[in-house]
Amino acid sequence: MSETLDEAGLLAAELLARRWLPRKHPRVRRALIDADLWQALQDRLAQVGLRLVDNIHADHISVALVRPAEYAVFGEAGMNANNNIDLPRDAISLLVVLWSLIVLPKRERQSARAAGDAGEQQEEMFHTDKPMPSAAEVSPVVSYRSLLADFGTQLGKKMRMDGNLRRLEAHGFIVRRGDDIAEGPLLDLLLDYDALAPRILDGALGEVLARATAREEAAAADQATPAPTPAPTPAQSADEEGEF
């Protein structure tokens, strides 16, 4: 067995054990620049009915079942279900809302940054290719309080939403940091952007999300703007002049 296959087998085993790996992981970084290792990894996974899940907009890679294996593994009932990880319907709805609030603006920021970098490179005599901005750099966070205020009634109110947030965090879709909800390793990997984004942006949910995002941005702007310094009263000005 060659060294490349050994390395591929080790990386495949680690992916199966950990469910996802960051792109900065030493073995993942090597596979991303070594076409033979990348192909060997895909071949190893395909032997057991799995495929590699990766995209340049995400900071992690993961694995999923290949289509021919899905029916054999989940059966007809599983294939007809709305998901295969036993999430209740309101948890799926919450997942779609969070995906829309986090991934859609993140992708827009990544594209804008990439376009800006391309414009700068055209003006440089010697330029190098710049990587896509990482998710950690541009991914927004969602306030739990705002999420509860905007969508709590539709998503089962506080107790039910709290339970579903714990489910989504356990599955790697989100990360909780106090009152903030951030992108998890699998949020931009296991949901199909090309299929989901048009349905949301062109549907009724798009308008609701636009209003919620506008409120978030306005609140963040208010917090970032320093309070104006009050003008001194005539008595204060006279006192200050007397000190000099």
Side-chain angles (χ1 to χ4, degrees):
M1 188 175 292
S2 69
E3 180 182 354
T4 300
L5 288 178
D6 286 340
E7 187 73 15
L10 186 58
L11 183 51
E14 194 164 6
L15 273 170
L16 292 176
R18 301 185 184 277
R19 297 171 56 202
W20 59 78
L21 289 173
R23 294 171 71 90
K24 293 182 179 180
H25 185 286
R27 292 192 185 92
V28 176
R29 291 179 64 180
R30 179 180 171 188
L32 288 170
I33 62 175
D34 186 337
D36 291 336
L37 176 56
W38 190 257
Q39 185 60 52
L41 173 61
Q42 292 179 311
D43 293 342
R44 278 294 185 89
L45 292 171
Q47 290 173 4
V48 292
L50 296 172
R51 61 183 174 88
L52 198 58
V53 183
D54 171 52
N55 72 62
I56 61 173
H57 300 91
D59 289 347
H60 297 77
I61 66 171
S62 185
V63 293
L65 286 171
V66 297
R67 289 294 182 186
E70 289 181 355
Y71 184 85
V73 173
F74 296 116
E76 185 175 354
M79 292 296 291
N80 291 332
N82 58 11
N83 69 96
N84 53 37
I85 52 178
D86 296 326
L87 288 176
R89 289 186 179 275
D90 53 355
I92 293 293
S93 299
L94 177 60
L95 175 60
V96 172
V97 168
L98 289 171
W99 183 90
S100 305
L101 291 171
I102 295 174
V103 172
L104 287 179
K106 182 198 75 170
R107 291 282 191 110
E108 185 177 354
R109 293 174 186 177
Q110 286 175 317
S111 298
R113 286 271 295 274
D117 290 342
E120 291 177 3
Q121 288 177 3
Q122 291 180 356
E123 299 177 0
E124 298 175 0
M125 183 175 296
F126 302 102
H127 67 264
T128 57
D129 292 334
K130 296 183 180 179
M132 176 72 66
S134 70
E137 291 179 302
V138 294
S139 183
V141 296
V142 175
S143 166
Y144 168 79
R145 296 180 186 275
S146 297
L147 181 70
L148 184 61
D150 291 331
F151 301 99
T153 302
Q154 296 86 349
L155 297 176
K157 299 186 179 179
K158 185 178 187 304
M159 184 175 296
R160 185 66 181 176
M161 197 172 79
D162 288 348
N164 285 330
L165 285 172
R166 286 192 292 270
R167 290 187 179 96
L168 297 182
E169 186 173 22
H171 283 294
F173 290 112
I174 61 170
V175 176
R176 301 289 300 275
R177 302 190 186 108
D179 189 52
D180 291 332
I181 303 169
E183 178 181 350
L186 301 183
L187 188 63
D188 201 7
L189 284 177
L190 298 189
L191 280 76
D192 189 340
Y193 180 91
D194 292 334
L196 196 55
R199 297 180 185 179
I200 292 173
L201 295 174
D202 298 335
L205 183 58
E207 298 180 5
V208 176
L209 293 170
R211 291 195 296 268
T213 302
R215 285 194 294 271
E216 286 271 346
E217 293 176 349
D222 289 341
Q223 293 177 357
T225 303
T229 303
T233 63
Q236 288 176 328
S237 299
D239 292 340
E240 290 172 359
E241 291 176 0
E243 293 177 359
F244 293 98

